[in-house]
Amino acid sequence: MNGPTEAQIDNCAAEPIRIPGGIQPHGALLVVDPDTRKLLQASANAQALLGDDLASGTLVALDAETTQWISDRDAPSLLQSIAVNGNSFTVSGHHMPQGAVLEFELIDGSEARSLEQVFPKLQTFADEILPLGDPRELGAAVADQVRAITGFNRVMIYSFDPEWHGTVMAQSSDGVLPNYLDLRFPATDIPAQARALYALSPLRMIPDADYVPVPLVPVMSPVDGQPLELSYASLRSVSPVHLQYMRNMGTWASMSISIVVEGKLWGLISCHSEGPRRVPPQVRAACNFVAKIFSLQISAIERGAHAAQRIQLKRRETELVARLSRADAMAEELERNPDAWLALANASGAAIITEEEIRTAGDTPGRDSLIRLAAFLESQGKDRFETDRLSTLWPEGSAVADTASGILAVSISQLYGSYVIWFRPEVVRTVTWGGDPRKSQDAGERLTPRTSFAQWKEELHERAVPWTAAEVESADDFRNALINFVLRRAEERAEMTEELERSNKELESFSYSVSHDLRAPFRHIVGYAELLTAREDSLDDKSQHYLRSIIDAALSAGRLVDDLLNFSQLGRTNLEKTRVDMNKLVNEVRHSLEQDLVDRQIDWQVANLPPAWGDGALIRQALANLVENAVKYSRDRTPAVIQIGGESVKGHTTYWVRDNGAGFEMEYVHKLFGVFQRLHRMEDFAGTGIGLALTKRIVNRHCGTIKAEGAVNKGATFTFSLPEGGKKSDHA
Amino acid sequence: MPDLRPILLVEDNPRDLELTLAALAKCQLANDIVVARDGAEALDYLYERGTYEGRDPGNPAVVLLDLKLPKVDGLQVLETIKKDPMQKQIPVVMLTSSREESDVLSSYENGVNAFVVKPVDFNVFFEAIQDLGMFWAVLNEPPPRGQNGR
């Protein structure tokens, strides 16, 4: 069961509480034109309370100081004693666009005496509470003090949570009124506009819930024809709903003082008494002073606690980041330091989710849930996301409430849904409400305050201990550190890429110079040897053999250089992919080999091949290498059987070339595709040992795969597979 | 009647020069063979200046041009020939040890007529030179004299 929702709140919100058109009867109110000092408006009771002089609009009864204050629009608010019509009043005043507003309250003798006692008490109070570091203790001291100087039956310190539900965190009571300590009141009890007014004007008092409001005469301001704005008037009449609420609670007088911490309404000092009770303005001012001290103290305590936690968390963060910066893999290092990682946000579980991996520490939801949670976080589109009740925002969260009722997540990449997330488990709590909050307002009935204040217990499920501001800031800091870390890594990678590019360039110029400087001498050797052979017909057999060997050696060295260059160029040139007719290609390859096959008996078994997708010239070279190999290694067979087949399966076309030749030992299969790796002796089978490496490189550049199977003297099968239709990109 | 204008062979490597000359000799061409040892010398011949001042007038039947040359390299010589309206009709065959794409590409961009990577195998090299010599010096019909200015 959840608390009342926003939709249930605020039937009262439409009420014009700032312009009620009347005041409470425990004082009189005048509105005076600051320029002419003419009376603009007066409460209907002004004449009776203050006498004819004032009511008639002449204002002669006011003393010089008050008169002076009226004329000065920029003067701060007024609070002083004044004798009018033979009685002592406290007059308070504030300037409004509609005129200077003066409020008069009678002072009787006993009040004057109690006032004298208030200030020494305040002095002692201030000294006593300064060392208190616990908000509850502090609240209790404040409640005691306020009760002592006002005489209310019960003074409660009421603090708001982020949803504006209030909890009675301290109470001072003489036992006359019920004990509400630790009870919780729904946000609907104090509607948003009332809260706004509380923040604006810190103190309001209702001495008698049964009062009859006193209208203003005239009702509308002569200045602008609007009702008088009474936001800052302490005599302002209150909403009948509020009065009904008070009577329902069994309190006939109330006073509340706002506690504003760091500009935000933090809570209220809420005073009640069973019977009517009026607190004179000076005492109210003293209460305001107490509330101020309380606000400052709370602020100091919260700042202190925050700072202490920040320092502690920062130290942990610094240690962890230092460790991360020395590590190669960030996510892995986090997983290696689970305690430090969890401690960063006082969490019981943590996970890092990146495009590549998921790593965790402590108690976290399962992998699948984490992936879906990351998707949810991505949909929120925030750099940081925190909640103590995940399931209310993400329905799937109910299933993982035991580990992830609370999450604090930071995004660590702009591009991918990468997050570091801390988790807190469900902590089932019982909250005692001052009445069932669900019944606070009935939908059909307008402005009906709730009537039951009987305690109502609610069990809160799928909630975690909320994240503190310090923990949230810690997560933010950590996020920044990680992003810097990731950025630095990216820079390092870029540097490495540069370095690679540089050495690639060097290799390129090396291969270029090889192509010129190394090929030429081989060409020359072959050329001169040939010239010599042609010139000297009479050379003996031995000399002829030597010359032949020189030519062969230089030729094979030249071929090696050519092959090497081929191989190195393959990585640099672009692929021109088209649909390749493999049947035609096999025919061409066979045709080109024909010269070598004149005295060979070969049984060709070529199936109908599916077309391939790729660079025609390169695929031709790959296939030619395999077919040449098959021809070469089957030369001892009569007949040699060479099978070529292919099929198209699941987005790939696969081709194989099989022979019944010399084969190879499977033990060495991994060496087959390496550059200069030969499995046979040079004199048995010629070749530079680059052909298969070249073939593999061609296949790989097409994002394909190649494998070989064979057995000694039983033949070999080479199979390569290429992706269809150019769906995959070309990884150079 | 074949045109017996000379063949201009531009080659700095003495061995390549010797082997190329041997190959050309084997074709038994009647054409004279003029040898330039670098790009500058080749241009001197083409423009009838320096040591070639006052030579017999006329463009060569073909220029066999090595790509890598001291001073002015083959590509520059090619560019000069092909940019000159008086000379651009001269067939130029680029000879090179390199099979670098960029060289082939630049040569074709500059209007080379043929590009031959010198084969390691001398017999193949022989055949290539013979074919080239025969084709450009004997079989190829040059534009009429009046049209290229000489």
Side-chain angles (χ1 to χ4, degrees), chain A residues 512 515-516 519-520 522-524 526-528 530-531 554-555 558 562 569 572-573, chain B residues 13 15-16 18-19 22 68 96-101 103 117-123:
Chain A
Y512 190 82
S515 92
H516 282 94
R519 278 179 97 253
F522 291 133
R523 207 171 58 240
H524 300 152
V526 175
Y528 284 110
E530 292 280 3
L531 286 177
L555 268 181
D562 281 354
Q569 274 175 342
R572 294 184 272 136
T573 50
Chain B
N13 184 310
R15 295 193 182 101
D16 271 330
E18 192 180 347
L19 292 170
K68 298 288 164 199
T96 177
S97 287
S98 162
R99 40 173 75 248
E100 280 292 313
E101 264 188 7
D103 288 340
V117 179
K118 297 174 189 167
V120 174
D121 193 322
F122 187 65
N123 292 321

mmCIF file of all heavy atoms in Angstrom, chain A residues 512 515-516 519-520 522-524 526-528 530-531 554-555 558 562 569 572-573, chain B residues 13 15-16 18-19 22 68 96-101 103 117-123:
data_model
loop_
_atom_site.group_PDB
_atom_site.id
_atom_site.type_symbol
_atom_site.label_atom_id
_atom_site.label_comp_id
_atom_site.label_asym_id
_atom_site.label_seq_id
_atom_site.Cartn_x
_atom_site.Cartn_y
_atom_site.Cartn_z
ATOM 1 N N TYR A 512 57.861 -1.286 -50.710
ATOM 2 C CA TYR A 512 58.052 -0.569 -51.966
ATOM 3 C C TYR A 512 59.508 -0.670 -52.418
ATOM 4 O O TYR A 512 59.805 -0.991 -53.555
ATOM 5 C CB TYR A 512 57.668 0.883 -51.753
ATOM 6 C CG TYR A 512 57.593 1.685 -53.024
ATOM 7 C CD1 TYR A 512 56.451 1.641 -53.817
ATOM 8 C CD2 TYR A 512 58.650 2.490 -53.418
ATOM 9 C CE1 TYR A 512 56.366 2.374 -54.975
ATOM 10 C CE2 TYR A 512 58.577 3.235 -54.579
ATOM 11 C CZ TYR A 512 57.435 3.183 -55.359
ATOM 12 O OH TYR A 512 57.354 3.912 -56.496
ATOM 13 N N SER A 515 60.387 -4.010 -53.559
ATOM 14 C CA SER A 515 59.896 -4.313 -54.898
ATOM 15 C C SER A 515 60.842 -3.772 -55.960
ATOM 16 O O SER A 515 60.958 -4.334 -57.027
ATOM 17 C CB SER A 515 58.475 -3.780 -55.083
ATOM 18 O OG SER A 515 58.489 -2.486 -55.630
ATOM 19 N N HIS A 516 61.508 -2.681 -55.635
ATOM 20 C CA HIS A 516 62.444 -2.146 -56.613
ATOM 21 C C HIS A 516 63.843 -2.729 -56.461
ATOM 22 O O HIS A 516 64.441 -3.162 -57.424
ATOM 23 C CB HIS A 516 62.550 -0.621 -56.475
ATOM 24 C CG HIS A 516 61.398 0.061 -57.077
ATOM 25 N ND1 HIS A 516 60.302 0.428 -56.341
ATOM 26 C CD2 HIS A 516 61.135 0.401 -58.355
ATOM 27 C CE1 HIS A 516 59.429 0.996 -57.136
ATOM 28 N NE2 HIS A 516 59.909 0.989 -58.370
ATOM 29 N N ARG A 519 63.994 -6.971 -56.316
ATOM 30 C CA ARG A 519 63.609 -7.703 -57.520
ATOM 31 C C ARG A 519 64.684 -7.528 -58.613
ATOM 32 O O ARG A 519 64.989 -8.468 -59.340
ATOM 33 C CB ARG A 519 62.271 -7.183 -58.048
ATOM 34 C CG ARG A 519 61.075 -7.761 -57.347
ATOM 35 C CD ARG A 519 59.786 -7.177 -57.911
ATOM 36 N NE ARG A 519 59.164 -8.030 -58.914
ATOM 37 C CZ ARG A 519 59.149 -7.800 -60.193
ATOM 38 N NH1 ARG A 519 59.741 -6.738 -60.666
ATOM 39 N NH2 ARG A 519 58.551 -8.618 -61.025
ATOM 40 N N ALA A 520 65.225 -6.286 -58.676
ATOM 41 C CA ALA A 520 66.148 -5.998 -59.780
ATOM 42 C C ALA A 520 67.350 -6.949 -59.816
ATOM 43 O O ALA A 520 67.620 -7.564 -60.870
ATOM 44 C CB ALA A 520 66.601 -4.546 -59.705
ATOM 45 N N PHE A 522 67.709 -9.936 -58.682
ATOM 46 C CA PHE A 522 67.320 -11.292 -59.080
ATOM 47 C C PHE A 522 67.090 -11.352 -60.584
ATOM 48 O O PHE A 522 67.464 -12.301 -61.253
ATOM 49 C CB PHE A 522 66.038 -11.730 -58.344
ATOM 50 C CG PHE A 522 66.267 -11.944 -56.883
ATOM 51 C CD1 PHE A 522 65.397 -11.418 -55.944
ATOM 52 C CD2 PHE A 522 67.351 -12.689 -56.444
ATOM 53 C CE1 PHE A 522 65.602 -11.616 -54.599
ATOM 54 C CE2 PHE A 522 67.561 -12.891 -55.091
ATOM 55 C CZ PHE A 522 66.688 -12.350 -54.163
ATOM 56 N N ARG A 523 66.492 -10.260 -61.076
ATOM 57 C CA ARG A 523 66.218 -10.211 -62.503
ATOM 58 C C ARG A 523 67.536 -10.222 -63.289
ATOM 59 O O ARG A 523 67.671 -10.916 -64.274
ATOM 60 C CB ARG A 523 65.429 -8.949 -62.796
ATOM 61 C CG ARG A 523 64.539 -9.044 -64.006
ATOM 62 C CD ARG A 523 63.622 -7.859 -64.112
ATOM 63 N NE ARG A 523 64.373 -6.603 -64.172
ATOM 64 C CZ ARG A 523 64.263 -5.619 -63.301
ATOM 65 N NH1 ARG A 523 63.428 -5.733 -62.275
ATOM 66 N NH2 ARG A 523 64.971 -4.526 -63.412
ATOM 67 N N HIS A 524 68.466 -9.478 -62.727
ATOM 68 C CA HIS A 524 69.759 -9.414 -63.402
ATOM 69 C C HIS A 524 70.463 -10.762 -63.393
ATOM 70 O O HIS A 524 71.042 -11.183 -64.398
ATOM 71 C CB HIS A 524 70.662 -8.348 -62.769
ATOM 72 C CG HIS A 524 70.053 -6.977 -62.843
ATOM 73 N ND1 HIS A 524 70.317 -5.994 -61.929
ATOM 74 C CD2 HIS A 524 69.153 -6.446 -63.710
ATOM 75 C CE1 HIS A 524 69.638 -4.917 -62.226
ATOM 76 N NE2 HIS A 524 68.912 -5.176 -63.318
ATOM 77 N N VAL A 526 69.150 -13.705 -63.215
ATOM 78 C CA VAL A 526 68.493 -14.594 -64.169
ATOM 79 C C VAL A 526 68.854 -14.195 -65.593
ATOM 80 O O VAL A 526 69.217 -15.040 -66.422
ATOM 81 C CB VAL A 526 66.953 -14.558 -63.975
ATOM 82 C CG1 VAL A 526 66.269 -15.393 -65.058
ATOM 83 C CG2 VAL A 526 66.575 -15.074 -62.595
ATOM 84 N N GLY A 527 68.807 -12.896 -65.854
ATOM 85 C CA GLY A 527 69.079 -12.399 -67.209
ATOM 86 C C GLY A 527 70.477 -12.754 -67.698
ATOM 87 O O GLY A 527 70.646 -13.315 -68.795
ATOM 88 N N TYR A 528 71.492 -12.464 -66.859
ATOM 89 C CA TYR A 528 72.867 -12.750 -67.271
ATOM 90 C C TYR A 528 73.094 -14.240 -67.397
ATOM 91 O O TYR A 528 73.804 -14.703 -68.294
ATOM 92 C CB TYR A 528 73.871 -12.121 -66.305
ATOM 93 C CG TYR A 528 73.995 -10.623 -66.509
ATOM 94 C CD1 TYR A 528 73.523 -9.716 -65.584
ATOM 95 C CD2 TYR A 528 74.590 -10.125 -67.680
ATOM 96 C CE1 TYR A 528 73.609 -8.364 -65.774
ATOM 97 C CE2 TYR A 528 74.683 -8.762 -67.885
ATOM 98 C CZ TYR A 528 74.196 -7.884 -66.933
ATOM 99 O OH TYR A 528 74.294 -6.555 -67.149
ATOM 100 N N GLU A 530 70.932 -16.436 -68.230
ATOM 101 C CA GLU A 530 70.300 -16.863 -69.484
ATOM 102 C C GLU A 530 71.176 -16.468 -70.683
ATOM 103 O O GLU A 530 71.345 -17.263 -71.613
ATOM 104 C CB GLU A 530 68.911 -16.203 -69.635
ATOM 105 C CG GLU A 530 67.869 -16.691 -68.635
ATOM 106 C CD GLU A 530 67.266 -18.036 -69.036
ATOM 107 O OE1 GLU A 530 67.705 -18.612 -70.053
ATOM 108 O OE2 GLU A 530 66.379 -18.513 -68.294
ATOM 109 N N LEU A 531 71.710 -15.244 -70.630
ATOM 110 C CA LEU A 531 72.568 -14.792 -71.728
ATOM 111 C C LEU A 531 73.790 -15.701 -71.878
ATOM 112 O O LEU A 531 74.184 -16.082 -72.984
ATOM 113 C CB LEU A 531 73.014 -13.350 -71.498
ATOM 114 C CG LEU A 531 71.939 -12.276 -71.720
ATOM 115 C CD1 LEU A 531 72.486 -10.894 -71.387
ATOM 116 C CD2 LEU A 531 71.439 -12.306 -73.158
ATOM 117 N N ALA A 554 67.531 -17.810 -58.329
ATOM 118 C CA ALA A 554 67.187 -16.397 -58.451
ATOM 119 C C ALA A 554 65.710 -16.239 -58.801
ATOM 120 O O ALA A 554 65.022 -15.354 -58.299
ATOM 121 C CB ALA A 554 68.048 -15.729 -59.506
ATOM 122 N N LEU A 555 65.214 -17.151 -59.643
ATOM 123 C CA LEU A 555 63.806 -17.112 -60.008
ATOM 124 C C LEU A 555 62.905 -17.291 -58.797
ATOM 125 O O LEU A 555 61.933 -16.557 -58.591
ATOM 126 C CB LEU A 555 63.491 -18.227 -61.018
ATOM 127 C CG LEU A 555 63.587 -17.875 -62.502
ATOM 128 C CD1 LEU A 555 63.216 -19.106 -63.331
ATOM 129 C CD2 LEU A 555 62.656 -16.715 -62.831
ATOM 130 N N GLY A 558 62.995 -14.322 -56.616
ATOM 131 C CA GLY A 558 62.192 -13.261 -57.220
ATOM 132 C C GLY A 558 60.717 -13.510 -57.018
ATOM 133 O O GLY A 558 59.956 -12.598 -56.707
ATOM 134 N N ASP A 562 57.843 -11.307 -55.089
ATOM 135 C CA ASP A 562 56.563 -10.986 -55.699
ATOM 136 C C ASP A 562 55.394 -11.417 -54.796
ATOM 137 O O ASP A 562 54.443 -10.667 -54.582
ATOM 138 C CB ASP A 562 56.426 -11.662 -57.064
ATOM 139 C CG ASP A 562 57.193 -10.896 -58.137
ATOM 140 O OD1 ASP A 562 57.702 -9.811 -57.807
ATOM 141 O OD2 ASP A 562 57.275 -11.386 -59.269
ATOM 142 N N GLN A 569 50.297 -6.105 -50.064
ATOM 143 C CA GLN A 569 49.359 -5.205 -50.731
ATOM 144 C C GLN A 569 47.924 -5.555 -50.409
ATOM 145 O O GLN A 569 47.059 -4.688 -50.390
ATOM 146 C CB GLN A 569 49.566 -5.287 -52.243
ATOM 147 C CG GLN A 569 50.654 -4.356 -52.727
ATOM 148 C CD GLN A 569 50.921 -4.535 -54.186
ATOM 149 O OE1 GLN A 569 50.556 -5.553 -54.772
ATOM 150 N NE2 GLN A 569 51.565 -3.569 -54.780
ATOM 151 N N ARG A 572 46.187 -3.520 -47.925
ATOM 152 C CA ARG A 572 46.097 -2.083 -48.149
ATOM 153 C C ARG A 572 45.082 -1.709 -49.217
ATOM 154 O O ARG A 572 44.577 -0.602 -49.216
ATOM 155 C CB ARG A 572 47.471 -1.541 -48.539
ATOM 156 C CG ARG A 572 48.483 -1.641 -47.417
ATOM 157 C CD ARG A 572 49.793 -1.020 -47.804
ATOM 158 N NE ARG A 572 50.662 -1.976 -48.473
ATOM 159 C CZ ARG A 572 51.357 -1.697 -49.560
ATOM 160 N NH1 ARG A 572 51.247 -0.516 -50.121
ATOM 161 N NH2 ARG A 572 52.133 -2.603 -50.103
ATOM 162 N N THR A 573 44.832 -2.653 -50.123
ATOM 163 C CA THR A 573 43.930 -2.284 -51.208
ATOM 164 C C THR A 573 42.468 -2.445 -50.789
ATOM 165 O O THR A 573 42.154 -3.172 -49.865
ATOM 166 C CB THR A 573 44.193 -3.153 -52.449
ATOM 167 O OG1 THR A 573 44.211 -4.508 -52.024
ATOM 168 C CG2 THR A 573 45.495 -2.799 -53.092
ATOM 169 N N ASN B 13 69.925 2.114 -64.764
ATOM 170 C CA ASN B 13 70.611 0.947 -64.226
ATOM 171 C C ASN B 13 71.373 0.259 -65.352
ATOM 172 O O ASN B 13 70.786 -0.209 -66.332
ATOM 173 C CB ASN B 13 69.567 -0.003 -63.619
ATOM 174 C CG ASN B 13 70.215 -1.207 -62.946
ATOM 175 O OD1 ASN B 13 71.072 -1.864 -63.551
ATOM 176 N ND2 ASN B 13 69.805 -1.473 -61.728
ATOM 177 N N ARG B 15 72.789 -2.573 -65.700
ATOM 178 C CA ARG B 15 72.493 -3.987 -65.993
ATOM 179 C C ARG B 15 71.161 -4.092 -66.732
ATOM 180 O O ARG B 15 71.025 -4.844 -67.691
ATOM 181 C CB ARG B 15 72.464 -4.797 -64.703
ATOM 182 C CG ARG B 15 73.816 -4.839 -64.045
ATOM 183 C CD ARG B 15 73.908 -5.870 -62.951
ATOM 184 N NE ARG B 15 75.223 -5.794 -62.365
ATOM 185 C CZ ARG B 15 75.492 -5.190 -61.216
ATOM 186 N NH1 ARG B 15 74.516 -4.631 -60.526
ATOM 187 N NH2 ARG B 15 76.721 -5.149 -60.752
ATOM 188 N N ASP B 16 70.174 -3.316 -66.217
ATOM 189 C CA ASP B 16 68.895 -3.331 -66.909
ATOM 190 C C ASP B 16 69.071 -2.837 -68.338
ATOM 191 O O ASP B 16 68.455 -3.358 -69.268
ATOM 192 C CB ASP B 16 67.867 -2.438 -66.172
ATOM 193 C CG ASP B 16 67.126 -3.230 -65.117
ATOM 194 O OD1 ASP B 16 66.954 -4.450 -65.321
ATOM 195 O OD2 ASP B 16 66.717 -2.630 -64.096
ATOM 196 N N GLU B 18 71.775 -3.044 -70.197
ATOM 197 C CA GLU B 18 72.433 -4.069 -71.003
ATOM 198 C C GLU B 18 71.455 -5.169 -71.401
ATOM 199 O O GLU B 18 71.386 -5.579 -72.551
ATOM 200 C CB GLU B 18 73.599 -4.643 -70.194
ATOM 201 C CG GLU B 18 74.521 -5.504 -71.041
ATOM 202 C CD GLU B 18 75.679 -6.065 -70.227
ATOM 203 O OE1 GLU B 18 75.899 -5.595 -69.086
ATOM 204 O OE2 GLU B 18 76.353 -6.970 -70.734
ATOM 205 N N LEU B 19 70.649 -5.595 -70.397
ATOM 206 C CA LEU B 19 69.705 -6.679 -70.666
ATOM 207 C C LEU B 19 68.624 -6.232 -71.641
ATOM 208 O O LEU B 19 68.205 -6.986 -72.514
ATOM 209 C CB LEU B 19 69.084 -7.176 -69.353
ATOM 210 C CG LEU B 19 70.060 -7.905 -68.417
ATOM 211 C CD1 LEU B 19 69.422 -8.131 -67.048
ATOM 212 C CD2 LEU B 19 70.502 -9.238 -69.028
ATOM 213 N N ALA B 22 70.064 -6.099 -74.992
ATOM 214 C CA ALA B 22 70.222 -7.475 -75.513
ATOM 215 C C ALA B 22 68.887 -7.980 -76.035
ATOM 216 O O ALA B 22 68.824 -8.622 -77.091
ATOM 217 C CB ALA B 22 70.740 -8.392 -74.398
ATOM 218 N N LYS B 68 61.952 4.847 -62.253
ATOM 219 C CA LYS B 68 62.841 5.448 -61.249
ATOM 220 C C LYS B 68 64.127 5.923 -61.915
ATOM 221 O O LYS B 68 64.903 5.107 -62.381
ATOM 222 C CB LYS B 68 63.191 4.418 -60.163
ATOM 223 C CG LYS B 68 61.994 3.914 -59.394
ATOM 224 C CD LYS B 68 61.446 4.977 -58.464
ATOM 225 C CE LYS B 68 60.047 4.579 -58.007
ATOM 226 N NZ LYS B 68 59.267 5.698 -57.488
ATOM 227 N N THR B 96 59.178 -0.749 -65.243
ATOM 228 C CA THR B 96 59.487 -0.578 -63.823
ATOM 229 C C THR B 96 59.609 -1.912 -63.117
ATOM 230 O O THR B 96 59.065 -2.917 -63.551
ATOM 231 C CB THR B 96 58.406 0.264 -63.127
ATOM 232 O OG1 THR B 96 58.712 0.349 -61.747
ATOM 233 C CG2 THR B 96 57.039 -0.353 -63.274
ATOM 234 N N SER B 97 60.341 -1.872 -62.034
ATOM 235 C CA SER B 97 60.413 -3.039 -61.159
ATOM 236 C C SER B 97 59.216 -3.059 -60.229
ATOM 237 O O SER B 97 58.907 -4.047 -59.604
ATOM 238 C CB SER B 97 61.672 -2.976 -60.293
ATOM 239 O OG SER B 97 62.794 -3.243 -61.077
ATOM 240 N N SER B 98 58.563 -1.896 -60.117
ATOM 241 C CA SER B 98 57.535 -1.753 -59.078
ATOM 242 C C SER B 98 56.197 -2.272 -59.564
ATOM 243 O O SER B 98 55.819 -2.077 -60.709
ATOM 244 C CB SER B 98 57.388 -0.273 -58.721
ATOM 245 O OG SER B 98 56.179 -0.065 -58.062
ATOM 246 N N ARG B 99 55.464 -2.891 -58.667
ATOM 247 C CA ARG B 99 54.089 -3.231 -58.988
ATOM 248 C C ARG B 99 53.158 -2.440 -58.064
ATOM 249 O O ARG B 99 52.061 -2.849 -57.748
ATOM 250 C CB ARG B 99 53.834 -4.728 -58.898
ATOM 251 C CG ARG B 99 54.515 -5.423 -57.734
ATOM 252 C CD ARG B 99 54.081 -6.878 -57.627
ATOM 253 N NE ARG B 99 54.699 -7.720 -58.647
ATOM 254 C CZ ARG B 99 54.002 -8.278 -59.625
ATOM 255 N NH1 ARG B 99 52.721 -8.081 -59.724
ATOM 256 N NH2 ARG B 99 54.607 -9.041 -60.490
ATOM 257 N N GLU B 100 53.701 -1.296 -57.600
ATOM 258 C CA GLU B 100 52.878 -0.472 -56.706
ATOM 259 C C GLU B 100 51.731 0.158 -57.482
ATOM 260 O O GLU B 100 51.932 0.764 -58.527
ATOM 261 C CB GLU B 100 53.726 0.633 -56.078
ATOM 262 C CG GLU B 100 54.545 0.162 -54.914
ATOM 263 C CD GLU B 100 53.706 -0.219 -53.730
ATOM 264 O OE1 GLU B 100 52.791 0.549 -53.368
ATOM 265 O OE2 GLU B 100 53.961 -1.298 -53.161
ATOM 266 N N GLU B 101 50.548 0.023 -56.901
ATOM 267 C CA GLU B 101 49.342 0.553 -57.550
ATOM 268 C C GLU B 101 49.457 2.041 -57.838
ATOM 269 O O GLU B 101 49.046 2.513 -58.883
ATOM 270 C CB GLU B 101 48.138 0.350 -56.645
ATOM 271 C CG GLU B 101 47.371 -0.892 -56.979
ATOM 272 C CD GLU B 101 46.081 -0.971 -56.205
ATOM 273 O OE1 GLU B 101 45.743 -0.003 -55.516
ATOM 274 O OE2 GLU B 101 45.424 -2.007 -56.312
ATOM 275 N N ASP B 103 51.955 3.881 -58.496
ATOM 276 C CA ASP B 103 52.774 4.190 -59.669
ATOM 277 C C ASP B 103 52.009 3.925 -60.955
ATOM 278 O O ASP B 103 52.031 4.727 -61.878
ATOM 279 C CB ASP B 103 54.046 3.336 -59.668
ATOM 280 C CG ASP B 103 55.009 3.797 -58.586
ATOM 281 O OD1 ASP B 103 54.869 4.958 -58.139
ATOM 282 O OD2 ASP B 103 55.881 3.009 -58.203
ATOM 283 N N VAL B 117 55.734 -4.221 -65.878
ATOM 284 C CA VAL B 117 56.537 -4.566 -64.701
ATOM 285 C C VAL B 117 57.577 -5.566 -65.171
ATOM 286 O O VAL B 117 57.242 -6.629 -65.676
ATOM 287 C CB VAL B 117 55.660 -5.189 -63.599
ATOM 288 C CG1 VAL B 117 56.519 -5.552 -62.389
ATOM 289 C CG2 VAL B 117 54.559 -4.227 -63.195
ATOM 290 N N LYS B 118 58.831 -5.176 -64.996
ATOM 291 C CA LYS B 118 59.899 -6.029 -65.527
ATOM 292 C C LYS B 118 59.853 -7.391 -64.850
ATOM 293 O O LYS B 118 60.030 -7.480 -63.631
ATOM 294 C CB LYS B 118 61.270 -5.382 -65.258
ATOM 295 C CG LYS B 118 61.467 -4.049 -65.960
ATOM 296 C CD LYS B 118 62.785 -3.427 -65.521
ATOM 297 C CE LYS B 118 62.911 -1.999 -66.029
ATOM 298 N NZ LYS B 118 64.024 -1.284 -65.370
ATOM 299 N N PRO B 119 59.620 -8.451 -65.599
ATOM 300 C CA PRO B 119 59.519 -9.771 -64.967
ATOM 301 C C PRO B 119 60.890 -10.266 -64.529
ATOM 302 O O PRO B 119 61.893 -9.922 -65.144
ATOM 303 C CB PRO B 119 58.953 -10.665 -66.079
ATOM 304 C CG PRO B 119 58.580 -9.741 -67.198
ATOM 305 C CD PRO B 119 59.405 -8.510 -67.046
ATOM 306 N N VAL B 120 60.910 -11.067 -63.457
ATOM 307 C CA VAL B 120 62.173 -11.618 -62.994
ATOM 308 C C VAL B 120 62.696 -12.618 -64.020
ATOM 309 O O VAL B 120 63.886 -12.675 -64.310
ATOM 310 C CB VAL B 120 61.992 -12.299 -61.616
ATOM 311 C CG1 VAL B 120 63.267 -13.005 -61.204
ATOM 312 C CG2 VAL B 120 61.576 -11.276 -60.578
ATOM 313 N N ASP B 121 61.765 -13.374 -64.548
ATOM 314 C CA ASP B 121 62.148 -14.400 -65.528
ATOM 315 C C ASP B 121 62.628 -13.731 -66.814
ATOM 316 O O ASP B 121 61.881 -13.015 -67.467
ATOM 317 C CB ASP B 121 60.919 -15.290 -65.793
ATOM 318 C CG ASP B 121 61.328 -16.548 -66.547
ATOM 319 O OD1 ASP B 121 62.207 -16.431 -67.422
ATOM 320 O OD2 ASP B 121 60.755 -17.606 -66.242
ATOM 321 N N PHE B 122 63.897 -13.963 -67.150
ATOM 322 C CA PHE B 122 64.506 -13.257 -68.282
ATOM 323 C C PHE B 122 63.799 -13.564 -69.600
ATOM 324 O O PHE B 122 63.630 -12.696 -70.437
ATOM 325 C CB PHE B 122 65.994 -13.611 -68.387
ATOM 326 C CG PHE B 122 66.714 -12.803 -69.409
ATOM 327 C CD1 PHE B 122 66.841 -11.423 -69.234
ATOM 328 C CD2 PHE B 122 67.253 -13.379 -70.552
ATOM 329 C CE1 PHE B 122 67.503 -10.662 -70.174
ATOM 330 C CE2 PHE B 122 67.914 -12.613 -71.491
ATOM 331 C CZ PHE B 122 68.041 -11.251 -71.307
ATOM 332 N N ASN B 123 63.359 -14.814 -69.752
ATOM 333 C CA ASN B 123 62.678 -15.174 -71.005
ATOM 334 C C ASN B 123 61.406 -14.369 -71.173
ATOM 335 O O ASN B 123 61.078 -13.895 -72.248
ATOM 336 C CB ASN B 123 62.366 -16.666 -71.025
ATOM 337 C CG ASN B 123 63.656 -17.469 -71.123
ATOM 338 O OD1 ASN B 123 64.583 -17.073 -71.846
ATOM 339 N ND2 ASN B 123 63.729 -18.548 -70.367
#
